[in-house]
Structures are given as structure tokens and as C-alpha cells.
């Protein structure tokens, strides 16, 4: 098996990231819609926090005066000017796949192409105007999960696989920590509201938005803020906890470099190992003592550094013209 | 019945004789179609476009800088060619490719054919496709044109003529292969019944051929594409995928010490063979077009040093020059001492004074073509053009006669094609694909391009053409 072209590795990594992003958005929208149905009468729908989770609230506010459901769903799912919207993410995933199509198997390409055509169809059908758009988002979520299934059973565990997973797990680590950051602060209730039905609904929605409700229940039982934080950030077994994602991403790096000793063989492995072990040996008190927001902020900065070093270490190519001139001289 | 209203006039129809009798090799197909409710046929046709979209069988059309993905319309009624007919075509193509390859080797080296005055020296040396840097070079195994996609047409008597040789980077083979998969779904029972020869091993043969171009046991092969914005990108990625080779762009490659390397996640890795899908003059800005951003500086040096093989070899375009085309029958005779099996369309070279006068006088009856253009551009169809257009081309010819040839208007054969209401005759051409490695092999299938507009003779996809699956029968 040949080594991968840097350009191809780049595209496959981003294919992983964008698909994960799209799947997360589909789930977020579905869960938030469900939550809104349970709000007491007279209470306004809350979509702004969800947009805040995606990190694009500023951009949203520039173009949309209100945070009504239709505007929010349009922005999150179909707005082509929002580079992270579901449709933008799927389009980019597909564009990256198209560029490296020779590296994908037929099923993967055709199913991904189908998801893309369905997302475009959703745009044409103006899904955001529908009274109940959940069917669309649930369908997209499953269609992407089908792609994961196809990959799991057909893709060889070579470099391409690990670059794809690296992208996927980094994206997931990022999204889970963001969802926790934003929601936690909104949810920390006034003392008199603790344990109220509404409080429960919100915590449940938070867990559901990362598909973790049932797992949390079995592992932790009672829904308490500290438990949720520990579960989403530090849990050793839940595949969407930040710690778990970083562990998997780190494993991908070692598979890519072929390094099996202790420590690291490149700067990405170094930063990844540091971050992973920080979470591995942290307990919930460390997080709370530092302050959840500060703690998560630090994680996000480090994930960004890791992303940048991935680019530098694996994807950057040299300009062949410059090189040639040097040789000629 | 489906074919009751089917009438063709004047030209050769692939399915029916002039008396309206179904030709033998189409009989089982006709029987199947007549048992099929018309609605079902139209449903199958309709689902074809959807299948193509889902498979991403698209080409890009650029308009106002915004890329649009379009599919090449596939008409599911196949074009069927009997075994006997095909055998003759096959022999003719082998002969032609063999002679053209010898011609290329000769004109870049000994130039015997020019010295012997069979082909005028100035014609070759004045061709802008005669590449000076290739002079004195012999590619691996002396093969220049590894992949050819010859265009053929049939006149009103059913006789095949070669229209163009396409020795540069012929495209379309991916549509042939994918169309077969789609049409197989539409008429599964017919393939055995008729004995249709398979085409799916083409990528294997292509890879074998490419690998045979070096002495290495396991050479690294790549397909060089201009990139995702090229209209044939689907084909590039499809063929790379089917062969399991790297799809590379110029920016992925670099040359050091006359060797070509890919830039991988773990540094540089040497590449040995490139199936290039970019024009030869864009390959290397240091040797050819200095403005080329698609190419790889220094790669021609590596080629000269024998460290990279190209398919097709740079320089083949000169044999594709439409003025050189007129000499192909002489070229066959000269190198092989054989009469050509496949005929040329009679061609008037505007450079020759007598020919030019004839063309100027009869332009309303002729098709005028630029010697270097392709894709149906730079062309005048005399009988369908306006008087003003005739004048415009007369002036063009006079100002640059070397740049133009003319041919009589051919009627082009027809094949039943699904139109809005009915099955109607539409004009087609035929593009078989020929590989030249250890031996010359013609893929038993072809791209049949069809002019979807009633009466139209222009089959180019850029101008309203579609395609058909071509069934070559064993018998």
C-alpha cells in the first residue's frame, strides 16, 4: 500500500469532520424542536442557545433580527452563507469526497451523494417552513449513520481510515464540549427551580443532543449537573465524551505515524497526548474548581492547536515550481 | 405497436432495413420491447437520469463562474452491432492504430515518410501539434498512442468511415462503462439471450497496459488530472478508482534529480507511469507552455531521462491534425503495405489550391473543419448554415488555408431513440476505444453518441448530444 497523497489525506480528514458536523446539527435541531414542544404555554421558543452552541451566534444576529424557529432552522440547516450549516457541511463533505473519489468505495460515494441530493431537495422543499420538520432531520441523521456503517464494514484500516476517524473524533470532541459549555450556563438554575420539571427537561435534552440520555441513566442514574459534566467530559466509555474522542483521535495519530513507543513522534502527537492525559487524570472537582467555562475554553484552544499541527505535519505541500528553481540553480 | 410509427428516410438505420424489416441482430431486442408496456419503457428511461445523478455521473458546465453539474443524457435503447460487423471494424482499427503509431515514431525520428514525399514535410513541420522537444525521442516500447478513441460514422449504405482518430486524450470511456451498468438493470434478460460481449474488464486492461510501460515489477501508476473543475473530472476519478491508482494533480507532484515524486503524508514517493489527462503542452511549463499552472516543472526532463512514462506519449496530437488525417490511407499503405480496411471520409485540404477552389465554390454542400479544433467547435455545416456564415468561412479559409479542411456532408446512420412521445430515429456516431500495450486491443463496446434533436447531425455532448450503450455481440 502506498503512502497517501497529502492532498488526499487533507480531503479525507475534512470529509470526516464535515459529516460529523452535519450529523450533529441534524440531531441538535431534532432535539431542540422536541424540547420546545414541552415548554409551558406562554413561554417563547428558545433557539438562540442552540445557535450559540455552534459558535455562529454573531453571524446569525447580523442577518436575522429574531430568533424564531423558522429563521433559526434555516440558518442552522440550509443557509448557504453559513459555512457550518447542515447543507454547507454536507456539500463540503461531498465536495471533499468528489475530489478523492478514487479512494472511496462505490457505496460510500453513492450514499453520500444521495444524502447531498436529499439535503438540496430539503432546501428546495423549504423544510424550515414546515410545522414539523423533524422527519427530514431524523432521515439525514440516519443517512449519515448509514455511511458510518458502510465504512465500518467495508473500509480497509489503512491511513485513509485513520485520517477520516481523526477528523470525525476531533470534530465530535469539539462539539460535545461546546454543547456542554453553552447549555450548562443557561441551565444552571435559580435555586428555587432545581428539580422542577422544566429543569429536568433541559438536562434531558442536553443529553439527548449527544445521544447520551439512556447511557447516562444506566451509568449515573440521577440527573445532576456534576454528573452530566463528568459524563460528557470525562467518561471513559461513552463514545461521545470529550475524553473518549481524544483517546480515539490519539490512537489514529499513532496508527498514521506507525509510532508505538511511549511519548510522541511529532508535534500533533505531543499536544494530543498532553490534552488526553490531562482529561484522563482529571476528576470532576478539578473541572469545577477551575470553573467549567475556563476548563472547556482551555480544551478548545488546545483542540485548535492540534488541528493546526495536523495541517502542518501532514497536509502541507511544497510548491513544485520553487523547488525546481532551486535545483536548477 | 411501439415501432409502427417508426420511419426513417434516406439514411441507414441500424435496426430496420429500408423496407421496414427488422435486422436479424436486433430481432430478440424488438421482441422484448414489443412485450413491454410503453409506460414501463418510459419509466425505465426516466429512472436512468436519476440513477446517473445518484452515481454522480456528471460533467461540469461553467456559466458565470458557477459550476453546474449535468448528466449526459443516456437513451436506454441500445445500439447493437453484430459480431461479423464488429470483427471487420476491429481489424480496421488495429491496422489504423498500428500504422499511425509507426508514423509518429518515424516523424519524430528518421522522417522517412517525409523524405519519401508520401506526406508533405511542411504539413507536418507546420503543424502546431508537432512538438519540437519530442524530436529524437522514442517512448518505451516505441508506443506513442496507448489509448485511442476513434470516431466512426456510417453513410446511407451502411458503410463505416473513420471521421477522427483522437490520439490525444480521448474521453468518454467511463460513460460507456457506467452506462452499461445502468442498461443492464433495464434489460437484464437480453444480455444472455443476445450474447452481448462484456466491457467491464477495461480498467484491468488499461492498468496492465500502463504497468507494462516500465521495466519495474510493481510500478507506481497515477492518473494526472487538471483537477475537480475539469469537465471530465468524473471520468478521471472513476478510472483511477477502478484501476486502484492514485489520482494526482500537478501540485501533488514534484521533480528532483530527473525523477518524479508524489508529495505524501510521509514525504516524497516516486511515481513511474502517468496516464495524463492534460494536454501535452501543459505538462511542463519549463518545456512547453510557460503559463501552465497544471503542469510539473521539470517533468519533461524526467521523461527524456526515461524515469517517467506517459500515456499517451507527448506529441501524438500531430497525427490527429485533420489535414494529416487526409493522408492516413497513404500512411497505412506506406508502413504496412496494406490497403486500408476502414475508409476515410473524402477530405479536401484547403492548403492545396485545387481543393481550396472546390471548397470555396461548394461550401454550401460541405462540412468545413478547423484542423486543430475538437468538440464540434470551429466547424461549419454548409447545408445548414446561412449565406453569411458561408461568407465568413470563405474569408477564414482564404486567410489561413492550412487551418481548414472540408468534407462532404454525411447522412449518419440512425438508431431508434426514445423521444417525448414515441420511439424515433436519431443520428449517431460510434467511438470505440483501443489500447496499445503488448498488443493492440479494441474494447468490444463503444460510446455511441446520439444527436437528440430531430434531424440534427451534431452528436457532441457540449451541443445537445446524448449517449447510448453499444452492444457488441459474440455472433
Amino acid at each position: 500500500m502506498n503512502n497517501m497523497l497529502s492532498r488526499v489525506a487533507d480531503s479525507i480528514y475534512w470529509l470526516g469532520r464535515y459529516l460529523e458536523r452535519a450529523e450533529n446539527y441534524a440531531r441538535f435541531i431534532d432535539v431542540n424542536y422536541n424540547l420546545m414542544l414541552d415548554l409551558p404555554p406562554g413561554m417563547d421558543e428558545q433557539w438562540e442557545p442552540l445557535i450559540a452552541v455552534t459558535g455562529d451566534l454573531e453571524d446569525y444576529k447580523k442577518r436575522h433580527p429574531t430568533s424564531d424557529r423558522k429563521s433559526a432552522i434555516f440558518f442552522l440547516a440550509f443557509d448557504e452563507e453559513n459555512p457550518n450549516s447542515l447543507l454547507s457541511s454536507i456539500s463540503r463533505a461531498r465536495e471533499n469526497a468528489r475530489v478523492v473519489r478514487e479512494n472511496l468505495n462505490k457505496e460510500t460515494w453513492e450514499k453520500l451523494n444521495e444524502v447531498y441530493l436529499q439535503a438540496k431537495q430539503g432546501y428546495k422543499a423549504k423544510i424550515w417552513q414546515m410545522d414539523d420538520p423533524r422527519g427530514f432531520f431524523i432521515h439525514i441523521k440516519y443517512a449519515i449513520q448509514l455511511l458510518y456503517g458502510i465504512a465500518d464494514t467495508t473500509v480497509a484500516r489503512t491511513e485513509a481510515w485513520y485520517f477520516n476517524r481523526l477528523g470525525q473524533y476531533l470534530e465530535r470532541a469539539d462539539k460535545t464540549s461546546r454543547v456542554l459549555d453553552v447549555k450548562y450556563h443557561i441551565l444552571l438554575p435559580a435555586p428555587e427551580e432545581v428539580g422542577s420539571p422544566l429543569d429536568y427537561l433541559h438536562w434531558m435534552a442536553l443529553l439527548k443532543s449527544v445521544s447520551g440520555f439512556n447511557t447516562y441513566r444506566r451509568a449515573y442514574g440521577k440527573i445532576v449537573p456534576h454528573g452530566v459534566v463528568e459524563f460528557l467530559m470525562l467518561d471513559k466509555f461513552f463514545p461521545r465524551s470529550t475524553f473518549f474522542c481524544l483517546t480515539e483521535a490519539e490512537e489514529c495519530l499513532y496508527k498514521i505515524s506507525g509510532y508505538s513507543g511511549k511519548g510522541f513522534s511529532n508535534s500533533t502527537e505531543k499536544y494530543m497526548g498532553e490534552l488526553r492525559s490531562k482529561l484522563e487524570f482529571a476528576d470532576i472537582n478539578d473541572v469545577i474548581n477551575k470553573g467549567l467555562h475556563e476548563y472547556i475554553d482551555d480544551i478548545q484552544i488546545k483542540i485548535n492547536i492540534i488541528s493546526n499541527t495536523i495541517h502542518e505535519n501532514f497536509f502541507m505541500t511544497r510548491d513544485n515550481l520553487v523547488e525546481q528553481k532551486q535545483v536548477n540553480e | 405497436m411501439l415501432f409502427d410509427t417508426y420511419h426513417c428516410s434516406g439514411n441507414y438505420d441500424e435496426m430496420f432495413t429500408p423496407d421496414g424489416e427488422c435486422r436479424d441482430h436486433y430481432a430478440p431486442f424488438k421482441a422484448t420491447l414489443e412485450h413491454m408496456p410503453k409506460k414501463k419503457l418510459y419509466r425505465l428511461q426516466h429512472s436512468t437520469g436519476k440513477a446517473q445523478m445518484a452515481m454522480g455521473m456528471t460533467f461540469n458546465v461553467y456559466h458565470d463562474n458557477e459550476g453546474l453539474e449535468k448528466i449526459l443524457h443516456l437513451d436506454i435503447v441500445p445500439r447493437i452491432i453484430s459480431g461479423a460487423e464488429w470483427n471487420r471494424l476491429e481489424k480496421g482499427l488495429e491496422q489504423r492504430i498500428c500504422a499511425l503509431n509507426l508514423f509518429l515514431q518515424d516523424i519524430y525520428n528518421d522522417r522517412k515518410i517525409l523524405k519519401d514525399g508520401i506526406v508533405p514535410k511542411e504539413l507536418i513541420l507546420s503543424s502546431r501539434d508537432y512538438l519540437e522537444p519530442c524530436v529524437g525521442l522514442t517512448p518505451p516500447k516505441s508506443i506513442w498512442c496507448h489509448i485511442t478513441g476513434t470516431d466512426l460514422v456510417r453513410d446511407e449504405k451502411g458503410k463505416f468511415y473513420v471521421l477522427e482518430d483522437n490520439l490525444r486524450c480521448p474521453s468518454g470511456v467511463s460513460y460507456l462503462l457506467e452506462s452499461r451498468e445502468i442498461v443492464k438493470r433495464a434489460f437484464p434478460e437480453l444480455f444472455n439471450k443476445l450474447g452481448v460481449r462484456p466491457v467491464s474488464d477495461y480498467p484491468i486492461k488499461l492498468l496492465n497496459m500502463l504497468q507494462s510501460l516500465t521495466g519495474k515489477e510493481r510500478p507506481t501508476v497515477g492518473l494526472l488530472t487538471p483537477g475537480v473543475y475539469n469537465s471530465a473530472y468524473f471520468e478521471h476519478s472513476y478510472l483511477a478508482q477502478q484501476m486502484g491508482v492514485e489520482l494526482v494533480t500537478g501540485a501533488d507532484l514534484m521533480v528532483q534529480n530527473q525523477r518524479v515524486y508524489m508529495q505524501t503524508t510521509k514525504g516524497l514517493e516516486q511515481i513511474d507511469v502517468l496516464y495524463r489527462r492534460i494536454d501535452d503542452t501543459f505538462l511542463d511549463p519549463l518545456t512547453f507552455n510557460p503559463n501552465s499552472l497544471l503542469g510539473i516543472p521539470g517533468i519533461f526532463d524526467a521523461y527524456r531521462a526515461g524515469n517517467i512514462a506517459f500515456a499517451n506519449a507527448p506529441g501524438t496530437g500531430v497525427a490527429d491534425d485533420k489535414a494529416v488525417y487526409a493522408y492516413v490511407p497513404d500512411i497505412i499503405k506506406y508502413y504496412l503495405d496494406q490497403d486500408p480496411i476502414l475508409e476515410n471520409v473524402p477530405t479536401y485540404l484547403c492548403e492545396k489550391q485545387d481543393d481550396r477552389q472546390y471548397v470555396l465554390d461548394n461550401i454550401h454542400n460541405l462540412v468545413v473543419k478547423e484542423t486543430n479544433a475538437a468538440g464540434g467547435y470551429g466547424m461549419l455545416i454548409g447545408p445548414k448554415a446561412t449565406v453569411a456564415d458561408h461568407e465568413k468561412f470563405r474569408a477564414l479559409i482564404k486567410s489561413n488555408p492550412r487551418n481548414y479542411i472540408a468534407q462532404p456532408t454525411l447522412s449518419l446512420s440512425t438508431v431508434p431513440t426514445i423521444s417525448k412521445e414515441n420511439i424515433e430515429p436519431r443520428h449517431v456516431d460510434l467511438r470505440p476505444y483501443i489500447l496499445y500495450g503488448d498488443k493492440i486491443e479494441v474494447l468490444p463496446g463503444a460510446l455511441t453518441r446520439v444527436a437528440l434533436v430531430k434531424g440534427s447531425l451534431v452528436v457532441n455532448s457540449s451541443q445537445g448530444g446524448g449517449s447510448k450503450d453499444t452492444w457488441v455481440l459474440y455472433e
Side-chain angles (χ1 to χ4, degrees):
Chain A
M1 191 70 69
N2 293 323
N3 291 327
M4 288 188 79
L5 288 174
S6 298
R7 176 180 56 82
V8 170
D10 192 0
S11 285
I12 285 187
Y13 167 84
W14 281 103
L15 171 61
R17 284 201 79 143
Y18 284 127
L19 270 188
E20 177 71 26
R21 195 171 295 174
E23 194 230 325
N24 275 311
Y25 275 42
R27 193 159 3 82
F28 288 171
I29 294 169
D30 174 41
V31 170
N32 206 56
Y33 184 95
N34 267 325
L35 174 64
M36 295 307 120
L37 296 184
D38 288 334
L39 292 183
M43 198 163 164
D44 283 343
E45 288 197 17
Q46 292 173 12
W47 288 89
E48 215 173 279
L50 183 57
I51 298 170
V53 167
T54 67
D56 292 316
L57 189 57
E58 209 177 310
D59 179 36
Y60 177 84
K61 284 190 163 168
K62 268 186 218 152
R63 285 185 281 132
H64 300 276
T66 61
S67 308
D68 61 291
R69 185 212 310 155
K70 286 177 185 172
S71 305
I73 292 184
F74 174 77
F75 177 80
L76 290 170
F78 298 105
D79 192 347
E80 285 172 303
E81 286 180 47
N82 172 5
N84 299 311
S85 73
L86 178 100
L87 181 57
S88 296
S89 295
I90 290 178
S91 299
R92 287 174 180 208
R94 192 246 189 190
E95 199 53 28
N96 276 292
R98 206 161 84 86
V99 172
V100 297
R101 187 167 161 182
E102 77 287 357
N103 282 278
L104 309 176
N105 59 41
K106 195 173 160 73
E107 292 92 336
T108 302
W109 161 253
E110 290 188 6
K111 283 293 156 200
L112 174 55
N113 199 38
E114 244 178 70
V115 179
Y116 165 74
L117 294 172
Q118 285 158 357
K120 296 250 293 191
Q121 192 51 45
Y123 178 85
K124 272 194 200 143
K126 297 195 164 67
I127 293 289
W128 64 92
Q129 305 227 349
M130 287 170 66
D131 286 337
D132 185 357
R134 281 174 297 179
F136 173 81
F137 293 106
I138 291 169
H139 174 81
I140 293 284
K141 183 180 81 176
Y142 283 140
I144 293 174
Q145 287 173 344
L146 174 62
L147 276 165
Y148 296 158
I150 292 172
D152 192 64
T153 51
T154 61
V155 175
R157 268 49 171 179
T158 56
E159 239 185 307
W161 168 268
Y162 293 109
F163 271 113
N164 187 263
R165 289 290 130 138
L166 178 62
Q168 185 180 12
Y169 279 113
L170 270 187
E171 178 70 23
R172 193 182 289 170
D174 175 72
K175 283 291 168 293
T176 300
S177 62
R178 273 175 189 280
V179 118
L180 182 61
D181 190 18
V182 174
K183 286 282 184 172
Y184 186 83
H185 287 90
I186 292 166
L187 289 184
L188 267 189
E192 68 273 16
E193 283 171 15
V194 173
S196 72
L198 193 58
D199 188 37
Y200 265 128
L201 285 176
H202 273 104
W203 286 107
M204 277 165 62
L206 167 56
L207 287 165
K208 281 179 180 170
S209 64
V210 291
S211 297
F213 178 64
N214 302 113
T215 313
Y216 178 85
R217 272 293 213 212
R218 293 183 69 89
Y220 292 72
K222 215 171 154 195
I223 297 184
V224 291
H226 285 191
V228 175
V229 172
E230 187 182 329
F231 177 65
L232 292 184
M233 185 153 337
L234 304 176
D235 192 85
K236 305 283 189 287
F237 309 103
F238 178 56
R240 307 193 83 88
S241 81
T242 305
F243 169 73
F244 189 97
C245 293
L246 291 173
T247 307
E248 291 292 315
E250 186 185 24
E251 188 59 27
C252 291
L253 287 175
Y254 288 131
K255 291 284 188 183
I256 289 165
S257 70
Y259 185 72
S260 56
K262 294 195 182 279
F264 57 91
S265 68
N266 59 49
S267 58
T268 313
E269 287 173 2
K270 177 177 187 292
Y271 295 121
M272 186 75 90
E274 282 173 2
L275 182 57
R276 186 261 312 143
S277 56
K278 178 180 164 174
L279 291 184
E280 185 169 3
F281 297 102
D283 62 29
I284 182 66
N285 293 323
D286 296 329
V287 179
I288 299 303
N289 288 344
K290 175 155 182 169
L292 181 68
H293 179 68
E294 288 71 24
Y295 203 90
I296 290 178
D297 222 29
D298 184 51
I299 291 175
Q300 297 237 322
I301 288 167
K302 289 189 169 138
I303 288 178
N304 279 340
I305 293 172
I306 289 167
S307 303
N308 293 340
T309 62
I310 288 172
H311 181 79
E312 286 159 19
N313 288 332
F314 303 109
F315 304 153
M316 272 216 299
T317 56
R318 287 178 282 176
D319 182 344
N320 56 22
L321 192 60
V322 173
E323 197 73 13
Q324 190 61 31
K325 275 179 190 150
Q326 286 165 349
V327 171
N328 285 346
E329 284 160 12
Chain B
M1 283 303 214
L2 210 45
F3 292 102
D4 286 351
T5 53
Y6 189 84
H7 292 296
C8 40
S9 53
N11 54 266
Y12 183 88
D13 189 80
E14 303 278 343
M15 183 163 170
F16 294 99
T17 68
D19 306 329
E21 296 292 317
C22 179
R23 297 182 197 276
D24 288 347
H25 64 285
Y26 262 99
F29 176 76
K30 182 169 182 260
T32 299
L33 226 58
E34 281 176 342
H35 280 103
M36 184 182 280
K38 193 168 168 181
K39 257 196 180 154
K40 186 179 172 195
L41 179 69
Y42 273 77
R43 201 173 57 235
L44 286 173
Q45 177 63 52
H46 181 69
S47 65
T48 296
K50 280 193 174 161
Q52 286 176 287
M53 221 37 201
M55 290 158 97
M57 277 176 74
T58 55
F59 63 93
N60 296 336
V61 180
Y62 287 96
H63 185 66
D64 297 338
N65 280 333
E66 215 178 310
L68 248 177
E69 290 178 32
K70 292 210 161 177
I71 53 170
L72 178 66
H73 180 87
L74 169 65
D75 183 88
I76 58 171
V77 178
R79 192 255 190 92
I80 307 176
I81 301 180
S82 71
E85 228 166 16
W86 184 258
N87 289 341
R88 205 184 134 266
L89 273 178
E90 198 172 39
K91 286 203 179 68
L93 290 166
E94 284 170 8
Q95 180 195 49
R96 202 170 166 103
I97 300 300
C98 182
L100 284 168
N101 191 65
L102 290 168
F103 172 69
L104 284 161
Q105 174 65 18
D106 187 20
I107 57 169
Y108 281 111
N109 287 280
D110 301 338
R111 296 185 181 172
K112 281 188 202 144
I113 198 168
L114 308 182
K115 287 172 192 155
D116 289 341
I118 308 293
V119 177
K121 198 174 171 183
E122 312 73 54
L123 183 77
I124 299 304
L125 303 185
S126 72
S127 172
R128 72 165 179 229
D129 292 312
Y130 185 74
L131 303 182
E132 205 53 45
C134 298
V135 172
L137 286 183
T138 297
K141 299 186 179 175
S142 306
I143 303 170
W144 292 73
C145 44
H146 311 89
I147 301 140
T148 311
T150 312
D151 283 341
L152 298 126
V153 293
R154 272 180 127 165
D155 72 357
E156 66 278 0
K157 296 193 187 73
K159 189 167 170 182
F160 278 107
Y161 289 89
V162 173
L163 196 61
E164 281 176 23
D165 288 294
N166 298 321
L167 301 164
R168 298 166 216 232
C169 292
S171 60
V173 76
S174 60
Y175 289 96
L176 180 172
L177 299 172
E178 287 283 76
S179 297
R180 173 62 56 87
E181 293 308 308
I182 291 173
V183 174
K184 260 183 177 167
R185 286 183 223 162
F187 305 113
E189 70 286 6
L190 274 170
F191 281 82
N192 269 322
K193 207 188 278 177
L194 272 162
V196 179
R197 294 176 64 179
V199 291
S200 55
D201 58 350
Y202 177 80
I204 298 172
K205 288 183 172 157
L206 180 60
L207 180 61
N208 286 343
M209 184 276 286
L210 293 168
Q211 287 179 333
S212 77
L213 298 182
T214 75
K216 281 196 185 175
E217 183 113 351
R218 292 201 59 184
T220 302
V221 176
L223 192 153
L224 178 61
T225 174
V228 71
Y229 299 108
N230 185 269
S231 62
Y233 184 77
F234 161 73
E235 173 150 312
H236 305 162
S237 62
Y238 176 83
L239 288 176
Q241 179 204 43
Q242 293 292 312
M243 289 192 285
V245 305
E246 297 297 337
L247 181 67
V248 295
T249 64
D252 295 327
L253 301 177
M254 73 172 10
V255 177
Q256 277 181 2
N257 304 320
Q258 299 185 318
R259 287 186 165 73
V260 185
Y261 296 93
M262 301 189 285
Q263 306 198 51
T264 77
T265 54
K266 293 178 184 150
L268 300 181
E269 191 176 304
Q270 197 179 345
I271 188 163
D272 308 298
V273 182
L274 278 174
Y275 176 16
R276 59 161 181 102
R277 292 295 297 260
I278 70 178
D279 276 355
D280 38 21
T281 54
F282 282 85
L283 277 175
D284 188 341
L286 301 182
T287 306
F288 302 108
N289 185 348
N291 299 322
S292 170
L293 297 172
L294 304 174
I296 306 98
I299 200 167
F300 198 83
D301 234 19
Y303 173 62
R304 209 179 278 131
N307 291 330
I308 185 90
F310 289 119
N312 289 348
T316 52
V318 62
D320 225 17
D321 184 312
K322 290 188 176 68
V324 176
Y325 159 90
Y327 290 92
V328 175
D330 301 327
I331 289 170
I332 292 172
K333 189 99 189 139
Y334 181 78
Y335 292 108
L336 304 178
D337 195 24
Q338 293 170 1
D339 289 322
I341 299 169
L342 293 170
E343 286 193 49
N344 256 20
V345 180
T347 302
Y348 303 98
L349 298 174
C350 295
E351 197 178 30
K352 289 187 183 170
Q353 196 179 341
D354 293 354
D355 281 14
R356 180 165 65 246
Q357 200 51 50
Y358 179 83
V359 173
L360 294 173
D361 293 344
N362 296 281
I363 201 162
H364 52 282
N365 286 325
L366 298 171
V367 177
V368 182
K369 292 175 180 175
E370 258 183 63
T371 51
N372 286 306
Y377 293 104
M379 186 167 126
L380 172 95
I381 300 178
K384 309 224 159 176
T386 63
V387 175
D389 284 337
H390 293 159
E391 268 321 304
K392 186 179 136 203
F393 265 77
R394 281 199 186 97
L396 284 169
I397 290 168
K398 282 183 206 159
S399 70
N400 188 2
R402 169 65 180 86
N403 209 31
Y404 293 91
I405 57 126
Q407 294 167 337
T409 330
L410 296 169
S411 61
L412 264 65
S413 60
T414 52
V415 178
T417 301
I418 297 172
S419 75
K420 221 168 187 171
E421 315 270 292
N422 260 314
I423 291 203
E424 293 177 2
R426 291 288 183 269
H427 293 290
V428 296
D429 75 351
L430 182 74
R431 178 179 287 183
Y433 293 87
I434 306 101
L435 294 178
Y436 193 166
D438 290 327
K439 56 182 193 282
I440 300 178
E441 270 188 281
V442 184
L443 175 69
L447 183 68
T448 289
R449 297 187 297 177
V450 53
L452 296 169
V453 180
K454 194 173 189 167
S456 167
L457 296 170
V458 185
V459 296
N460 301 83
S461 58
S462 48
Q463 303 190 33
S467 76
K468 278 176 170 292
D469 191 19
T470 310
W471 296 0
V472 173
L473 306 186
Y474 283 104
E475 301 275 319

